[in-house]
Amino acid sequence: MRTRGSRAVVAVAALVVAAAGCGTSGAGSGSGPGSGGSGAGAVAPGAPTPGLVMPSTLPTRPSDMSLWPTEAPEPEGPCPASGVRVSLGITDGALGLRAMGVLLDNCGTRPFEVSGYPDVAVLDERREDLEVTVRRGTEAAGGTARPTRIVLRPGQRAQASVMWRNTVTRADVPATSGAYLRVRPAPGVEPQTVAPHDGPMDLGNTGAVDVTPWQLAER
């Protein structure tokens, strides 16, 4: 025969079990793995993850490679005997396509004519030619620049772009790294060798670069 005290203990135990059951059912209907509940911690399908900032827009590639950034420190030193100085712009790496400006400044006292494309070669650390194919044109980057004839007056600048991808697709072909770029502005003019401002040209094992034609630049 149960006493009044034992019945009170049983009643209290039942209340504790009921309260625990309510708490566990609320947790189970939340956002735990595999649960489809709609508790306070749940995240609706397709909703942004709390604390994750998503970009409003994705980077896009300009249609004309001559519009890519070409900012670089102003070249120093005496003007070459040719009356023009070659320098390189900053490398832009949007969407895996590298684009580096090739700048030609008329630092002399006479007009200088350029036309078509700069004559370029990629060199290694010892300034020796690498086996890199130089392709003329902008088709690889979707550009629209066309070859033209430009007469640079003293103080004016022309610019072109060298483009490449750092794709590595073959394990049996070593990746190529270009330490210098040799640029001949025009036929019969002494070439000039310059180094990129922001490190070697990481060509991967593509073995090729694309060159755009000279265009008149704004300074």
Side-chain angles (χ1 to χ4, degrees):
M1 181 175 180
R2 295 183 181 179
T3 63
R4 180 179 302 176
S6 63
R7 286 197 299 272
V9 170
V10 172
V12 171
L15 289 174
V16 171
V17 172
C22 293
T24 56
S25 62
S29 60
S31 57
S35 66
S38 58
V43 178
T49 303
L52 180 63
V53 178
M54 299 297 293
S56 57
T57 58
L58 293 177
T60 57
R61 180 180 61 196
S63 59
D64 192 337
M65 295 305 297
S66 65
L67 301 179
W68 281 51
T70 55
E71 293 84 354
E74 287 293 330
E76 300 178 353
C79 184
S82 61
V84 289
R85 179 189 286 114
V86 175
S87 60
L88 299 179
I90 303 301
T91 302
D92 192 312
L95 302 180
L97 176 66
R98 309 291 198 257
M100 181 173 62
V102 180
L103 312 178
L104 182 67
D105 291 290
N106 186 341
C107 54
T109 58
R110 297 179 299 175
F112 186 88
E113 179 179 325
V114 292
S115 61
Y117 300 82
D119 183 3
V120 304
V122 183
L123 313 180
D124 62 13
E125 295 85 352
R126 296 173 294 181
R127 303 197 177 200
E128 296 180 354
D129 287 49
L130 291 169
E131 294 185 8
V132 175
T133 301
V134 178
R135 301 179 299 207
R136 293 183 172 184
T138 58
E139 289 80 5
T144 59
R146 295 291 179 264
T148 186
R149 174 179 172 271
I150 303 172
V151 177
L152 294 177
R153 296 190 301 272
Q156 285 190 312
R157 167 181 288 179
Q159 69 180 39
S161 291
V162 175
M163 300 168 292
W164 70 91
R165 294 188 183 276
N166 68 333
T167 308
V168 177
T169 57
R170 297 180 57 182
D172 58 330
V173 178
T176 301
S177 181
Y180 298 94
L181 197 69
R182 186 176 64 232
V183 181
R184 187 187 300 274
V189 178
E190 188 71 18
Q192 300 177 36
T193 300
V194 285
H197 295 281
D198 37 16
M201 301 169 61
D202 53 345
L203 305 179
N205 52 28
T206 59
V209 298
D210 294 271
V211 181
T212 68
W214 290 117
Q215 301 287 312
L216 186 62
E218 296 182 1
R219 300 198 64 175

